[in-house]
Amino acid sequence: VSAVFSWEHVPLMSHPEAKASVINLSFFVLRPSKDMYELLVATLKKAPFSATRGWGSTGRGAFPGWMTTQGFLTYFYDEVRNGAKVEMNQCAFGNTAEPSPSKLITNGGTVDCDSSPDASNQCNDCSKTTPDEVRVADLSYCLAPWECGGDNLMSGLCRQYNKKWFGGRLQMEDVHPQLQKTIGKLCIDGQYQPMVVAEH
């Protein structure tokens, strides 16, 4: 095993209602290996690539990040070294709190799951995961708490992410006496209140 990661679902550029399953780089662990590094470099130099198909002989098509490291590593660990990885539960590691896709496309255009009412292979909805079940949160959908806003905060899990983060931030003020105490609100009129060292 050379890599441990979870998958994430990103919209296809050609069909935004459908999504592609790609490596989630918010939780991606690599085992140091010179041999694997050399194979990665050699593969990158000769890997088939198409503007419509993406990486590999079949490909997932165009998606955000498809021409970058994310697209290449998705191809590498799905087609070149499929057995050299451990796939983690995406609802626990790298959970974005985004509702399940209407349709999920995997390698070669295969429909992995479908959220249509009459579909037998329903998509797993990670947005319904409880906060205690999440080990690594991915804030790309919810937006970072210090951005103080976003319509996605209406999502139950996004609100829980924010609550946990702000709770830890306020706890820092209690643990470290050198920090200036706030009034308990970290977002005022849409502006984040940064940590400030108290003057003595």
Side-chain angles (χ1 to χ4, degrees):
V1 174
S2 67
V4 177
F5 58 83
S6 64
W7 297 96
E8 68 172 317
H9 306 147
V10 296
L12 290 170
M13 293 179 177
S14 56
H15 304 288
E17 71 282 358
K19 296 198 175 186
S21 182
V22 302
I23 283 180
N24 186 342
L25 294 181
S26 66
F27 181 82
F28 185 72
V29 182
L30 281 175
R31 181 193 300 276
S33 167
K34 184 177 180 181
D35 291 340
M36 186 60 71
Y37 170 75
E38 290 175 348
L39 178 60
L40 276 163
V41 172
T43 303
L44 181 60
K45 290 179 178 178
K46 65 179 182 180
F49 181 84
S50 163
T52 56
R53 186 185 63 243
W55 295 96
S57 56
T58 51
R60 288 169 167 77
F63 57 84
W66 65 309
M67 292 188 288
T68 66
T69 303
Q70 185 178 35
F72 172 69
L73 290 176
T74 296
Y75 153 70
F76 184 83
Y77 283 106
D78 200 35
E79 292 189 38
V80 181
R81 279 294 181 268
N82 186 274
K85 67 180 187 292
V86 171
E87 299 173 14
M88 305 298 287
N89 182 337
Q90 66 191 35
C91 293
F93 295 89
N95 191 330
T96 64
E98 186 175 7
S100 64
S102 58
K103 192 172 290 185
L104 178 62
I105 309 297
T106 54
N107 195 29
T110 304
V111 177
D112 186 66
C113 68
D114 190 333
S115 293
S116 303
D118 56 345
S120 58
N121 55 336
Q122 292 287 318
C123 295
N124 188 21
D125 192 349
C126 290
S127 69
K128 296 178 180 177
T129 307
T130 64
D132 290 340
E133 294 175 301
V134 179
R135 296 293 174 262
V136 178
D138 180 334
L139 300 176
S140 59
Y141 173 75
C142 299
L143 298 182
W146 52 89
E147 293 186 18
C148 294
D151 295 336
N152 293 339
L153 292 182
M154 298 306 292
S155 162
L157 194 53
C158 283
R159 292 176 69 88
Q160 290 298 319
Y161 284 170
N162 255 24
K163 184 178 178 181
K164 288 274 189 181
W165 191 90
F166 281 126
R169 161 70 169 78
L170 289 170
Q171 188 179 37
M172 289 284 289
E173 297 175 4
D174 296 330
V175 175
H176 299 283
Q178 69 269 31
L179 295 176
Q180 183 176 302
K181 296 282 187 182
T182 62
I183 61 173
K185 290 185 178 180
L186 299 177
C187 284
I188 300 177
D189 296 329
Q191 296 296 314
Y192 175 68
Q193 308 303 302
M195 286 188 287
V196 177
V197 176
E199 295 181 3
H200 297 288

